[in-house]
């Protein structure tokens, strides 16, 4: 990265407080439970929490998902004494029905945090009771503490103290990725001769994942600030890198790890040459419609900065505002350095003021949540709904073209439709 | 605590949002933590609204907890008023804010905003979405409606349609036309598309049409008491109910009943010979109370089905549904636990389910056809085309919707005739679903009867199918085979038989013949 300008890294950040149109961390459960195949996520919360999960999970709710909500009732609020007993009873019922569960997460919500229900105590007690068959952990996915993808951060950070202590040098890859993407990443690292490599979160409880002073770790997702800190507390060392979006992002990410493991340039070139060429041409094809167009990001997942980096450096777009719910400097600095100066960088939100800005600049493409997308389309703005970027495989080389395609499709569609909506 | 995966209803503040979003010129300030804005997407995505719901959330975070949240609420309230300039506001708390006890109503009152501010008290840990909608609309009506002069011509209000209501948009259109045919004007439709100014002139009508008891009954009762407006008790879903409704309205209006039936096709369609095969089809009905009660009457009296199960998820309508069920000689299933519903359906093995989005998935799992008759529904049940449930066009729509998932008469007959045909056997798959045709013989290597498949003699309660009987059972068309199996097993069990032969199969068939 030497010789580069600092890009956006030293730009002032616009911070506003007001209404935030974002998901809470509970939403992370939707993809985390797919990734961790023997885990169950039990939210302790209200009917609202259950309704949120149902709305966010769409039709997935019907496929015997491994999550549910213990809905607080009037009696639970009256006296605190029996709340712990109630949890024990619900967990008992749950585990007797689902004997395949090896990891149980008690997930805190706004109501359980506000009444100060001690879920960590419950987790400790239940862990003792169900050991060694089931490990019970706890984290908070409440809206008052977490925004959308931060739920994954809280979950992974809760697992870190629980990881085995290991002394060997290893690479730990951190962040839940779709299986197909994770396999590609592990294959590339393997071809580069880097190993051993383990992944957090692991697919199953028995998969060996450990951490120790000789562990180095690379992040595949930008929203894992707490997990990063927790790993550092265990003595592991973070490898800073841009996030693996697009050809340039993936190459830079691999390069940073390759340097750490002293991989020769020749090997690096040999392994990455073909997939790089594939990714480059796929992005070039998919991003034709994106070139010289402007993009505006509403805050949602913390993926905004790395994605803005991808769209500006690889797809020829111009960013006008990059909004993120939080900016973890340590993690996104390399991406920020690669974005040309110019866009407004905003952290947090006052949604009405931000909507005023979006309407004033009328970017060619506005990336936002589902609560804003149709209303903005009705105002004539073209939108890309952000949540899809979290669920769809978008990382690393083979998905680079698809990633550009996700942003290109709404623009192509707008060009195709001959009958305008009124 | 109660473990929940699926909920039929959201929390009560979502009901309040349904009223606020339905109306115009009204703004809702909701004291709620960051994240509760998820509910916006129900309106912008499922109902495909082209504007944001008129709701401002305080979206407090952990760092705001303490005295700060009250200030946050006041700021949000003032900002919302300044930006949107509504004619009236409603304020309230979501489940989390209910716990921190900031009293939105009291705070908003102290601010002395220049428009009416209506405080909502929605107990999130006891009640649900429909209550929230009903209570909110009642409070708005109570705060804004005043006695005014009656309209010169006979007019009525249409009460109950909201945002996110199942077919509310088209039901309003259908009823407006039906009333117009009788010479009755619609004074105000509320809450859908009504402004606070419209609410103030509700009293100008001569009577109210209560379209949906779930969301409008409290307001109708209040208007009956305070404004002297009687309200209709019949919900006009189905031909019979529509005729009764017209009679009821005519009495309230002092006019002659009049119903223009030239576009009504449902009675002829159900009378036509192809519908003979609908006779006695066993149907299970579940949803909100109003749609269940009306659907049961249509199913029995207008379609000729046999209603084998009835239930609803909203306990506010439990009494009406229980009464109806006992008329049908059934016991009503009142539950909001979808596992109970699934168990009931699996037990009854109906040939058709009329239910919600959830029952559609239960039906898919159990291989039973399903039509949707009630909320909660998904995006496909907010259609672009005109598709009311109420009135005469509603009856046409319902006929098509319910019959569509069933195998129709001629088709059923042909399938039965050619069931052993080389192209129509079980493993071939439906040709219109894109699966390639598998000629008989290539699929399963041998359905040839071997010896007896006995290895479960241990449990005396189980009944064993002899191989020949199993083969014979496979000749029964797939869409009734499950019922045939169940009936035969019950028949054998009742007689203490442990083995089912071909003879048992046909004895059972004769026993259950209707």
């Amino acid at each position: 990265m030497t010789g580069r300008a600092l890009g956006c890294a030293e730009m002032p950040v616009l911070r506003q407080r007001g209404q935030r149109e974002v998901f809470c961390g509970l939403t992370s459960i939707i993809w985390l439970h797919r990734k961790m195949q023997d885990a169950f996520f039990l939210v302790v919360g209200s009917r609202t929490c259950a309704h949120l999960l149902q709305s966010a999970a769409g039709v997935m709710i019907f496929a015997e998902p491994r999550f549910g909500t213990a809905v607080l009732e009037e009696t639970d609020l009256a006296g605190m004494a029996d709340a712990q007993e109630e949890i024990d009873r619900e967990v008992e019922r749950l585990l007797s029905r689902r004997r395949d569960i090896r990891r149980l997460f008690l997930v805190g919500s706004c109501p359980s945090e506000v009444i100060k229900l001690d879920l960590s105590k419950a987790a400790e007690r239940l862990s003792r009771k169900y050991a060694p068959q089931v490990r019970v952990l706890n984290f908070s996915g409440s809206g008052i503490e977490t925004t959308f993808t931060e739920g994954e951060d809280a979950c992974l950070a809760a697992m870190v103290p629980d990881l085995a202590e290991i002394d060997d040098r290893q690479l730990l890859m951190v962040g839940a990725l779709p299986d197909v993407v994770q396999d590609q990443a592990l294959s590339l690292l393997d071809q580069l001769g880097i190993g051993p490599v383990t992944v957090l979160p692991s697919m199953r409880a028995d998969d060996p994942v450990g951490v120790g002073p000789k562990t180095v770790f690379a992040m595949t997702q930008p929203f894992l600030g707490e997990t990063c800190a927790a790993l550092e507390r265990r003595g592991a060392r973070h490898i800073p890198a841009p996030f693996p979006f697009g050809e340039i992002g993936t190459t830079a990410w691999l390069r940073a790890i390759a340097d750490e493991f002293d991989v020769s340039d020749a090997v690096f070139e040999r392994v990455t040459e073909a997939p790089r060429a594939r990714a480059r041409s796929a992005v070039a094809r998919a991003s034709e419609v994106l070139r010289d167009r402007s993009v505006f990001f509403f805050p949602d997942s913390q993926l905004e900065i790395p994605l803005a980096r991808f769209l500006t450096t690889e797809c020829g777009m111009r960013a006008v505002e990059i909004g993120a719910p939080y900016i973890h400097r340590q993690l996104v600095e390399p991406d920020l350095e690669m974005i040309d100066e110019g866009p407004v960088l905003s952290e947090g939100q006052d949604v009405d003021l931000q909507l005023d800005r979006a309407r004033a600049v009328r970017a060619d493409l506005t990336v936002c949540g589902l609560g804003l997308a149709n209303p903005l389309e009705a105002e004539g703005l073209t939108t890309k709904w952000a949540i899809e970027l979290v669920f769809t495989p978008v990382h690393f080389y083979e998905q680079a073209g698809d990633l550009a395609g996700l942003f290109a499709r709404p623009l192509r569609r707008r060009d195709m439709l001959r009958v305008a909506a009124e | 605590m109660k473990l929940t995966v699926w909920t039929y209803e959201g929390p009560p503040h979502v009901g309040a949002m349904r009223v606020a979003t339905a109306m115009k010129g009204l703004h809702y300030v909701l004291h709620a933590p960051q994240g509760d804005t998820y509910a916006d997407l129900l309106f912008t995505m499922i109902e495909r609204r082209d504007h944001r719901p008129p709701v401002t959330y305080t979206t407090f975070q952990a760092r705001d907890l303490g005295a700060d949240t009250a200030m946050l609420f006041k700021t949000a309230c003032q900002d919302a008023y300044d930006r949107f300039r509504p004619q009236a506001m409603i304020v309230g708390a979501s489940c989390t804010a209910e716990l921190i006890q900031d009293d939105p109503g009291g705070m908003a009152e102290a601010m002395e905003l220049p428009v009416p501010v209506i405080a909502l008290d929605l107990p999130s840990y006891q009640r649900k979405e429909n209550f929230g909608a009903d209570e909110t609309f009642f409070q708005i009506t109570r705060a804004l409606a005043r006695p005014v002069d009656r309209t010169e011509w006979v007019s009525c209000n249409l009460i109950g349609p909201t945002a996110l209501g199942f077919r509310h948009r088209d039901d309003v259109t259908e009823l407006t036309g039906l009333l117009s045919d009788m010479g009755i004007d619609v004074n105000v439709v509320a809450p859908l598309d009504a402004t606070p100014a419209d609410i103030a002139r509700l009293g100008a009508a001569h009577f109210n049409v209560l379209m949906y008891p779930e969301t409008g009954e409290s307001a109708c009762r209040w208007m009956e008491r305070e404004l002297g407006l009687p309200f209709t008790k019949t919900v006009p879903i189905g031909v019979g109910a529509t005729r009764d409704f017209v009679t009821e309205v005519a009495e309230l209006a002092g006019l002659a009943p009049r119903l223009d039936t030239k576009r009504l096709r449902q009675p002829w369609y159900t009378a036509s010979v192809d519908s003979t095969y609908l006779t006695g089809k066993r149907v299970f009905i579940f949803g909100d109370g109003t749609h269940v009660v009306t659907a049961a009457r249509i199913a029995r009296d207008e379609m000729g089905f046999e209603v084998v199960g009835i239930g609803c998820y909203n306990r506010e309508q439990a009494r009406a549904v229980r009464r109806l069920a006992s008329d049908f000689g059934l016991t009503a299933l009142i539950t909001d636990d979808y596992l109970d519903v699934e168990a009931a359906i699996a037990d009854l093995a109906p040939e058709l389910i009329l239910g919600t989005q959830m029952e559609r998935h239960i039906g898919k799992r159990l291989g039973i056809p399903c039509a949707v008759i009630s909320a909660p529904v998904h995006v496909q049940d907010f259609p672009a085309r005109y598709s009311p449930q109420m009135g005469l066009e509603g009856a046409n729509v319902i006929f098509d919707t319910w019959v569509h998932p069933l195998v129709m008469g001629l088709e059923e007959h042909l399938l039965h005739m050619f069931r052993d045909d080389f192209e129509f056997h079980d493993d071939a798959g439906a040709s219109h679903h894109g699966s390639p045709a598998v000629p008989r013989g290539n699929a399963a290597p041998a359905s040839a009867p071997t010896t007896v498949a006995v290895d479960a003699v241990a449990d005396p309660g189980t009944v064993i199918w002899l191989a020949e009987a199993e083969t014979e059972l496979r000749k029964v068309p797939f869409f009734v085979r499950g019922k045939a199996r169940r009936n035969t097993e019950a028949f054998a069990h009742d007689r203490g038989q442990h083995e089912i032969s071909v003879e048992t199969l046909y004895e059972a068939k004769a026993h259950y013949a209707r």
Side-chain angles (χ1 to χ4, degrees):
Chain A
M1 239 53 65
T2 48
R4 256 177 211 285
L6 282 179
C8 282
E10 293 192 342
M11 273 196 2
V13 174
L14 177 66
R15 289 194 179 82
Q16 284 176 330
R17 283 180 69 178
Q19 180 179 324
R20 295 166 67 112
E21 183 87 20
V22 288
F23 282 124
C24 66
L26 296 182
T27 324
S28 305
I29 293 170
I30 311 282
W31 67 86
L32 278 177
H33 91 284
R34 302 312 311 161
K35 193 68 209 170
M36 298 160 72
Q37 297 182 349
D38 53 6
F40 193 100
F41 293 81
L42 180 61
V43 178
V44 180
S46 64
R47 173 169 298 279
T48 310
C49 306
H51 195 236
L52 159 88
L53 283 177
Q54 170 175 323
S55 309
V59 293
M60 199 194 280
I61 200 103
F62 305 104
E64 286 287 335
R66 281 171 287 100
F67 61 81
T69 310
V71 174
L72 293 164
E73 292 169 320
E74 189 86 302
T75 47
D76 299 309
L77 304 175
M80 295 296 302
D82 57 327
Q84 299 283 346
E85 285 171 32
E86 293 269 309
I87 291 174
D88 288 5
R89 193 196 59 217
E90 287 304 319
V91 167
E92 171 85 56
R93 271 183 55 195
L94 172 68
L95 291 179
S96 65
R97 269 214 323 245
R98 301 292 302 266
R99 297 197 177 276
D100 52 326
I101 300 305
R102 300 286 314 282
R103 291 176 281 187
L104 175 64
F105 290 93
L106 300 179
V107 189
S109 66
C110 299
S112 74
E113 298 290 329
V114 165
I115 63 171
K116 306 220 182 304
L117 198 52
D118 194 343
L119 291 181
S120 64
K121 198 170 93 184
E124 274 175 37
R125 181 181 62 246
L126 290 164
S127 250
R128 281 197 300 276
K129 181 174 173 188
Y130 293 103
Q133 181 58 26
V134 185
R135 184 86 184 97
V136 186
L137 293 170
N138 123 274
F139 68 92
S140 171
S142 72
I144 58 178
E145 287 158 320
T146 59
T147 304
F148 195 27
T149 48
E150 279 184 287
E152 177 175 331
D153 191 23
C155 175
L156 301 194
M159 293 167 77
V160 170
D162 208 45
L163 297 178
E165 177 78 21
I166 55 166
D167 206 29
D168 301 335
R169 177 169 166 78
Q170 63 147 346
L171 175 68
L172 183 61
M173 195 166 81
V174 188
L177 291 175
D179 293 346
V180 54
V181 177
Q182 183 172 313
D183 291 346
Q184 289 168 17
L186 292 174
S187 160
L188 283 165
L189 292 168
D190 184 53
Q191 291 174 56
L192 289 170
I194 295 165
V197 185
T198 51
V199 181
L200 182 71
S202 62
M203 200 169 280
R204 311 201 65 88
D206 293 335
D207 295 343
V209 186
V211 66
K214 288 186 193 144
T215 300
V216 287
F217 66 94
M219 294 284 181
T220 56
Q221 302 282 19
F223 42 74
L224 299 172
E226 288 297 316
T227 309
C228 182
L231 287 167
E232 284 173 343
R233 280 196 293 276
R234 296 277 313 256
R237 184 163 49 80
H238 175 228
I239 305 172
F243 286 91
F245 295 114
E247 185 261 317
I248 295 174
T250 305
T251 304
W253 187 85
L254 287 170
R255 182 81 253 177
I257 298 167
D259 287 350
E260 171 69 32
F261 283 83
D262 297 323
V263 177
S264 73
D265 286 352
V267 170
F268 190 84
E269 284 304 319
R270 180 168 52 73
V271 170
T272 58
E273 193 184 0
R276 285 181 73 173
R278 268 202 304 278
R280 241 193 325 266
S281 69
V283 170
R285 263 196 316 278
S287 63
E288 267 166 37
V289 70
L290 299 176
R291 202 148 298 128
D292 299 324
R293 303 241 208 174
S294 58
V295 59
F296 188 111
F297 280 92
F298 277 81
D300 190 59
S301 61
Q302 298 186 47
L303 291 168
E304 297 84 2
I305 288 171
L307 290 175
R309 198 280 309 152
F310 167 70
L311 291 176
T312 54
T313 62
E314 303 191 39
C315 303
M317 292 192 89
R318 182 172 56 84
V320 284
E321 173 159 343
I322 309 170
Y326 288 102
I327 299 178
H328 286 289
R329 280 276 166 188
Q330 184 191 350
L331 298 182
V332 294
E333 195 88 2
D335 278 296
L336 277 175
E337 287 172 357
M338 294 167 76
I339 301 172
D340 283 342
E341 268 183 73
V344 173
L345 200 56
S346 64
E347 183 180 22
Q349 186 178 38
D350 182 322
V351 72
D352 284 313
L353 298 181
Q354 194 166 30
L355 280 167
D356 289 345
R357 294 199 297 277
R359 290 179 182 122
V361 299
R362 296 187 68 81
D364 295 310
L365 187 66
T366 304
V367 184
C368 60
L370 293 173
L372 300 178
N374 269 336
L376 288 177
E377 289 278 350
E379 293 180 26
L381 294 171
T382 304
T383 63
K384 166 77 215 103
W385 41 285
I387 191 170
E388 196 178 4
L389 300 161
V390 179
F391 290 127
T392 314
V394 291
H395 294 68
F396 292 97
Y397 291 129
E398 310 308 335
Q399 284 67 237
D402 302 343
L403 178 57
L406 285 179
F407 293 97
R409 193 176 301 128
L411 289 164
R412 282 177 31 227
R413 181 166 187 78
R414 178 152 296 238
D415 293 342
M416 283 167 75
L417 296 179
R418 300 288 172 182
V419 182
E422 286 180 17
Chain B
M1 281 177 212
K2 186 175 186 320
L3 187 62
T4 305
V5 178
W6 169 268
T7 63
Y8 282 98
E9 290 183 74
H13 71 260
V14 169
M17 284 182 72
R18 288 176 52 188
V19 171
T21 306
M23 289 180 65
K24 294 179 158 67
L26 179 87
H27 200 86
Y28 184 15
V29 180
L30 179 60
H31 204 18
Q34 164 175 285
D36 279 5
T37 52
Y38 82 86
D40 281 0
L41 68 88
L42 303 173
F43 300 93
T44 60
M45 297 303 292
I46 295 180
E47 206 178 6
R48 270 188 244 253
R49 287 198 171 247
D50 62 0
H51 58 88
R52 297 175 64 212
V55 183
T56 294
Y57 304 80
T58 55
T59 57
F60 55 83
Q61 294 173 268
R63 62 178 181 217
D64 304 317
L65 289 177
D68 223 353
T69 53
M71 192 41 106
L72 210 60
F73 177 82
K74 286 186 194 163
T75 312
C77 228
Q78 188 66 50
D79 287 353
Y81 175 75
D82 292 343
R83 176 173 284 266
F84 300 105
R85 298 275 162 180
Q87 296 173 22
M89 290 169 79
I90 53 178
V91 299
S94 81
C95 52
T96 304
E98 193 182 330
L99 299 171
I100 58 177
Q101 300 180 332
D102 274 338
D103 184 21
M107 285 189 290
E109 197 181 331
M111 292 174 66
E112 297 186 337
L113 292 166
V115 293
V117 178
I118 302 154
L120 302 174
D121 188 16
L122 303 174
S124 312
Y125 297 91
Q126 297 162 28
R127 308 305 295 266
K128 291 180 249 171
E129 179 178 331
N130 277 326
F131 169 84
D134 184 71
E135 172 71 10
T136 301
F137 183 56
F138 162 59
Q139 292 297 347
I140 290 171
T141 306
R142 198 177 71 151
L144 303 177
R146 292 286 169 267
V148 287
D149 290 342
R150 294 262 188 271
T151 54
E152 198 174 327
W153 298 104
V154 178
S155 70
C156 65
N157 302 314
L158 300 186
I159 302 298
T162 64
L164 267 189
F166 176 64
R167 307 296 167 87
H168 287 193
R169 176 196 71 195
D170 297 340
D171 283 349
V172 167
T173 308
E174 187 67 18
L175 280 197
T176 304
L178 188 148
L179 291 160
S180 165
D181 284 351
M182 294 177 74
I184 299 168
D185 286 346
V186 171
N187 178 50
V188 172
V189 179
L192 191 63
D193 293 335
T195 62
D198 293 331
I199 303 296
R201 55 186 189 83
L202 279 169
H206 293 231
F207 63 96
N208 279 327
V209 169
L210 173 55
M211 292 178 66
Y212 309 102
E214 273 84 1
T215 51
E217 187 158 353
S218 297
C220 277
R221 288 194 185 284
W222 183 85
M223 284 188 270
E224 184 174 52
R225 211 167 51 238
E226 303 294 326
L227 304 175
L229 294 186
F231 65 93
T232 55
K233 308 294 189 294
T234 312
V235 176
I237 300 179
V239 178
T242 301
R243 290 189 192 280
D244 292 351
F245 173 81
V246 166
T247 308
E248 190 184 5
V249 164
E251 260 169 49
L252 288 176
L255 296 167
R258 189 172 172 279
L259 185 62
D260 180 359
T261 56
K262 69 174 175 292
R263 287 180 305 116
L264 175 63
R265 286 175 284 271
Q266 187 251 44
W268 164 241
Y269 271 52
T270 56
S272 75
V273 291
D274 198 51
S275 297
T276 313
Y277 288 81
L278 301 177
T279 312
K281 285 249 186 243
R282 303 170 73 253
V283 57
F284 180 89
I285 307 176
F286 196 84
D288 67 39
T290 297
H291 285 91
V292 163
V293 169
T294 50
R297 180 173 172 187
I298 299 169
R300 183 183 62 183
D301 301 345
E302 298 175 23
M303 302 292 275
F305 293 151
E306 183 195 351
V307 178
V308 295
I310 292 177
C312 73
Y313 58 77
N314 49 341
R315 65 169 190 233
E316 290 87 351
Q317 299 293 322
R319 190 176 298 176
V321 172
R322 285 210 178 91
R323 199 182 314 122
L324 174 88
S326 75
D327 285 352
F328 278 71
L330 300 168
T331 306
L333 176 69
I334 312 294
T335 181
D336 62 354
D337 188 337
Y338 75 99
L339 291 173
D340 292 348
V341 180
E342 186 173 75
I345 292 174
D347 189 45
L348 289 164
E351 290 159 274
L352 176 67
I353 306 168
L354 302 174
T356 72
Q357 184 67 18
M358 188 58 211
E359 282 69 44
R360 177 146 74 193
H361 286 268
I362 292 173
K364 205 189 287 175
R365 187 178 303 168
L366 299 176
I368 301 170
C370 179
V372 170
I373 59 158
S374 156
V377 293
H378 205 45
V379 61
Q380 66 268 39
D381 281 301
F382 285 93
R385 66 177 186 277
Y386 182 59
S387 23
Q389 299 288 290
M390 290 185 175
L392 301 183
E393 186 58 24
N396 294 337
V397 168
I398 285 171
F399 177 85
D400 287 347
T401 309
W402 293 12
V403 161
H404 195 119
L406 294 170
V407 180
M408 273 304 281
L410 190 58
E411 197 183 347
E412 179 169 333
H413 178 67
L414 290 173
L415 278 171
H416 196 74
M417 264 178 69
F418 299 124
R419 67 188 177 210
D420 284 328
D421 188 279
F422 73 106
E423 280 173 337
F424 286 142
H425 62 97
D426 292 343
D427 301 317
S431 57
H432 56 285
H433 285 163
S435 42
V438 182
R440 175 168 295 255
N442 289 11
S447 53
T450 50
T451 48
V452 188
V454 198
D455 48 331
V457 210
D459 182 1
T462 55
V463 186
I464 293 148
W465 285 78
L466 299 176
E468 292 79 4
E470 187 82 47
T471 309
E472 196 66 17
L473 181 70
R474 290 178 67 80
K475 294 181 188 167
V476 175
F478 65 90
F479 43 85
V480 286
R481 195 178 302 146
K483 189 177 63 165
R485 178 186 288 278
R486 209 176 291 267
N487 282 351
T488 311
E489 285 172 2
F491 179 81
H493 183 77
D494 287 349
R495 274 154 194 72
Q497 296 176 5
H498 298 296
E499 291 181 344
I500 293 174
S501 63
V502 177
E503 195 160 298
T504 326
L505 179 67
Y506 283 111
E507 274 173 20
K509 186 173 187 294
H511 177 78
Y512 287 104
R514 48 171 182 250

